[in-house]
């Protein structure tokens, strides 16, 4: 069973390496389309832009652009929807976007994706899967984007209340909507509990993952999830909040599974790809295509099940040589050349 | 006649230069201290602007209290809290930025060392070729 999973992982790596030029844009297109539809669902105030065709065209463009551009596209999408409701809320969101850009997008643009994923997971009611996974995958850098994602989701929740208020009130002054939203954010204990829990769990998980111990990640998964449950239950008790306990435990189990799956497939997206380079010397122009070597396929392997005290992983991988990467570390070997 | 060893070496150099080397070679112009200090200064300015914008949004939330209470509003208490929070944020930012950009610079130095070594190898190889031809 374990061997079959290993072969599947290796097949996936080989497939990704061979077809990375097609697979990556398709994945980006699907992700962009899905997230834009989700955000339009969270902020459905402008029906002019609520057309799948527009999202499809933008997603097709996004397929060939860096993933951080998706953050700007979604920010503009939200702004267009908020403009329809109220100018002051639109300006408030613009200021919030600027704060996010200055706080974490400036440092690493890829972290902007965490904000998008957090808000979408909240919308899909799968938020409890996130904190430990973010701590394992990203580290401390996920704290601010995750917090911003939580704020964006809660903004979408408050907007339903505020848009009704602005529609029904006979005299709405400039700033009434934004003031209402800021007041709701300041008094909402659920938002506070989620912000503190997510930040602490990402922090704890990252610390645990970086311990000098081989199985530190295992501790991080279990301790992270248990700590999350305890914090959320404590918050529920103190502030009398209304999130469902059965969903918490169900998502904790799903979260542990997702962390295991991530751990097993870790590094698939990180493989060296086909590199194209051009250079010249005195005699020739060189147009080079460097194709990374394939590690192992099912046909090359003879797997023997050995039931002993030894670690099965060590037996499976003991004759796989390390893939030569583009940076050779051994000076002595090079000097012999 | 194409020499595969030379081509392999030049490919490694070209791939690095067109990939991570673009950013690394810019960072390598600075010493570690200068680079970290520049990034620290950028970070402090960015965080200060973000904090002031956030504070502005918060003041908008308590705007009606300020208007209704006028001079009786406890400005001193709010200003003191705002300054303490700002100091805490700046200290956390200082520590995190310093650590992060030190790591970035150290990683860059490792890659540049390898790149420099490959350049040296290529230079030695070309010298050896010219000697053999002569």
């Amino acid at each position: 069973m374990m061997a079959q999973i290993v072969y599947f992982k290796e097949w996936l790596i080989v497939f990704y390496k061979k077809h990375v030029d097609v697979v990556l844009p398709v994945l980006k297109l699907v992700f962009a389309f899905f997230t834009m539809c989700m955000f339009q669902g969270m902020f459905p105030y402008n029906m002019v832009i609520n057309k799948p065709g527009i999202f499809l065209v933008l997603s097709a463009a996004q397929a060939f652009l860096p993933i951080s551009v998706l953050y700007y596209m979604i920010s503009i999408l939200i702004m267009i929807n908020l403009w329809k409701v109220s100018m002051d809320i639109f300006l408030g969101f613009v200021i919030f976007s600027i704060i996010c850009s200055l706080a974490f997008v400036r440092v690493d643009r890829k972290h902007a994706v965490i904000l998008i994923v957090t808000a979408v997971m909240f919308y899909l009611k799968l938020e409890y899967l996130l904190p430990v996974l973010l701590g394992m995958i990203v580290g401390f850098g996920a704290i601010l984007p995750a917090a911003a994602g939580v704020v964006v989701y809660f903004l979408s929740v408050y907007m339903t209340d505020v848009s009704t208020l602005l529609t029904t009130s006979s005299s709405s002054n400039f700033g009434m909507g934004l003031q209402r939203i800021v007041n709701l954010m300041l008094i909402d204990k659920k938002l506070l509990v989620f912000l503190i829990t997510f930040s602490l769990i990402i922090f704890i998980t990252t610390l645990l993952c970086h311990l000098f111990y081989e199985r530190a990640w295992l501790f991080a998964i279990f301790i992270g999830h248990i700590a999350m449950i305890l914090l959320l239950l404590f918050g529920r008790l103190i502030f009398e909040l209304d999130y469902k306990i059965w969903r918490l435990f169900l998502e904790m189990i799903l979260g542990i599974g997702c962390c295991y799956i991530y751990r097993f497939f870790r590094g698939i997206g990180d493989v060296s790809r086909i590199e194209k380079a051009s250079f010249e010397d005195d005699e020739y122009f060189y147009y080079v295509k460097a194709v990374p070597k394939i590690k192992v396929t099912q046909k090359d392997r003879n797997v023997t099940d050995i039931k002993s005290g030894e670690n099965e992983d060590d037996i499976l991988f003991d004759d796989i040589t390390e893939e030569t990467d583009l940076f050779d570390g051994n000076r002595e070997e090079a000097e012999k050349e | 006649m194409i020499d595969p060893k030379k081509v392999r070496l030049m490919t490694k150099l070209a791939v690095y230069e067109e990939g991570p080397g673009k950013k690394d070679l810019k960072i390598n112009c600075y010493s570690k201290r200068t680079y970290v200090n520049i990034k620290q200064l950028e970070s402090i300015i960015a965080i200060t602007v973000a904090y002031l914008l956030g504070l502005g949004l918060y003041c908008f939330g308590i705007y009606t209290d300020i208007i209704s209470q006028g001079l009786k509003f406890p400005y001193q208490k709010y200003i003191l809290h705002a300054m303490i929070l700002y100091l805490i944020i700046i200290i956390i930012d200082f520590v995190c930025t310093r650590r992060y950009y030190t790591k970035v610079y150290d990683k860059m130095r490792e890659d540049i060392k390898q790149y420099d070594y490959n350049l040296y190898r290529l230079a030695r190889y070309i010298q050896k070729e010219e000697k053999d031809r002569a």
Side-chain angles (χ1 to χ4, degrees), chain B residues 25-64:
Chain B
L25 289 165
K26 280 184 199 166
I27 299 173
N28 198 39
C29 299
Y30 302 99
S31 69
K32 184 172 178 176
R33 203 171 167 181
T34 310
Y35 175 71
V36 172
N37 286 343
I38 288 172
K39 287 296 174 188
Q40 195 109 57
L41 188 64
E42 277 176 20
S43 181
I44 288 175
I45 293 169
I47 293 292
T48 305
V49 172
Y51 183 76
L52 289 171
L53 288 171
L55 202 60
L57 276 178
Y58 175 76
C59 289
F60 206 85
I62 57 170
Y63 167 77
T64 42

Side-chain angles (χ1 to χ4, degrees), chain A residues 104-241:
Chain A
F104 54 86
V105 179
R106 170 188 65 86
V107 177
D108 189 347
R109 290 197 180 90
K110 288 178 197 163
H111 285 170
V113 175
I114 299 171
L115 188 158
I116 296 168
V117 169
T118 308
V120 168
M121 292 297 264
F122 266 88
Y123 185 61
L124 296 172
K125 311 284 181 220
L126 292 169
E127 63 271 26
Y128 306 124
L129 295 180
L130 269 178
V132 178
L133 211 51
L134 284 175
M136 285 179 73
I137 297 172
V138 183
F140 297 117
I143 294 176
L144 284 178
V150 174
V151 168
V152 168
Y153 171 72
F154 275 84
L155 172 68
S156 71
V157 171
Y158 302 145
M159 279 304 299
T160 45
D161 168 40
V162 169
S163 65
T164 318
L165 173 75
L166 290 173
T167 319
T168 54
S169 86
S170 52
S171 62
S172 56
N173 302 324
F174 179 83
M176 196 167 95
L178 182 59
Q179 200 174 16
R180 174 88 182 132
I181 284 179
V182 173
N183 281 333
L184 283 170
M185 282 194 179
L186 291 174
I187 61 173
D188 190 353
K189 300 297 175 214
K190 196 171 178 183
L191 173 62
L192 182 68
V193 166
F194 272 117
L195 283 175
I196 293 173
T197 305
F198 270 52
S199 306
L200 273 176
I201 297 305
I202 293 172
F203 185 79
I204 291 168
T205 311
T206 310
L207 271 181
L208 288 172
C209 276
H210 286 98
L211 287 176
F212 291 109
Y213 179 59
E214 201 192 315
R215 299 276 183 177
W217 57 274
L218 202 58
F219 285 114
I221 291 173
F222 283 101
I223 293 173
H225 279 99
I226 292 168
M228 181 179 70
I229 299 257
L230 289 173
L231 279 170
L232 288 170
L233 288 176
F234 186 68
R236 189 175 192 271
L237 194 65
I238 299 284
F239 299 115
E240 293 170 17
L241 300 171

Side-chain angles (χ1 to χ4, degrees), chain A residues 61-81:
Chain A
Q62 170 59 46
F64 302 100
L65 295 167
I67 195 72
S68 53
V69 173
L70 182 61
Y71 163 74
Y72 297 108
M73 277 190 192
I74 286 176
S75 299
I76 292 169
L77 176 70
I78 297 173
M79 285 176 203
I80 292 171
N81 281 291

Side-chain angles (χ1 to χ4, degrees), chain A residues 323-334:
Chain A
E323 198 179 37
T324 51
D325 62 4
L326 293 164
F327 299 103
D328 44 351
N330 197 336
R331 272 200 176 199
E332 286 161 9
E333 264 185 36

